[in-house]
Amino acid sequence: MENDGKEGLILIRIQKNRKEHWKKICLEKQISLTNLIIDSVENRMMDNERKKVLAFIEKQDNIFVKIETNINQIAKMVNGQKFISENELQKFSNQLTEIAKLKAQQNEVFINIYSMLGK
């Protein structure tokens, strides 16, 4: 929505116990009551959920960096020895296939997350 610099005020009447319940939710989620209402009405991701998602993405990225480092170490070892056993090659190949599958799944999840973040 376009912001023309003016803020509007909406007054609503709710039961006192409902208001207290909403405030409790806000305290748990560490968000304001205004954000809770706006994000709920506009069907957007809450700020605290967005922070969790971004932390998850960063953690996933770190995991794959570690895996890629391990792959590079194995490749360096094989290049130095100029040999890898058939069994080790098969295990390594299986691991690479599994990583490719996981990376594809992760990318699908990230696409969904980014679309949710954009709302």
Side-chain angles (χ1 to χ4, degrees):
M1 289 187 190
E2 192 173 316
N3 185 354
D4 59 4
K6 298 179 184 178
E7 292 192 20
L9 177 66
I10 297 175
L11 299 174
I12 60 172
R13 290 191 180 131
I14 59 172
Q15 297 169 338
K16 187 171 184 158
N17 61 345
R18 178 169 283 167
K19 179 181 177 184
E20 293 306 315
H21 177 68
W22 288 3
K23 288 171 103 178
K24 182 180 175 187
I25 291 171
C26 292
L27 186 62
E28 290 170 359
K29 293 181 181 249
Q30 297 179 343
I31 58 175
S32 69
L33 184 55
T34 300
N35 283 344
L36 175 71
I37 294 169
I38 291 172
D39 291 346
S40 297
V41 168
E42 294 182 359
N43 199 23
R44 294 191 317 196
M45 184 178 284
M46 305 281 174
D47 285 342
N48 68 317
E49 293 169 337
R50 187 170 306 166
K51 289 176 187 174
K52 288 178 186 176
V53 166
L54 292 174
F56 168 77
I57 291 171
E58 186 175 324
K59 182 179 177 184
Q60 287 296 105
D61 191 45
N62 289 339
I63 289 170
F64 278 103
V65 166
K66 288 178 184 178
I67 291 170
E68 290 164 0
T69 300
N70 289 342
I71 291 169
N72 288 336
Q73 288 172 345
I74 292 170
K76 185 176 179 180
M77 180 187 71
V78 170
N79 285 334
Q81 294 176 355
K82 303 293 184 203
F83 174 78
I84 185 169
S85 71
E86 187 68 34
N87 187 28
E88 288 297 317
L89 181 60
Q90 186 60 44
K91 286 197 303 189
F92 184 68
S93 179
N94 291 341
Q95 289 174 344
L96 288 177
T97 302
E98 187 64 26
I99 290 168
K101 287 179 188 176
L102 291 172
K103 194 70 167 176
Q105 290 174 351
Q106 177 191 17
N107 289 342
E108 288 179 29
V109 169
F110 286 172
I111 289 168
N112 291 336
I113 289 170
Y114 285 132
S115 69
M116 290 170 50
L117 289 174
K119 290 185 178 182

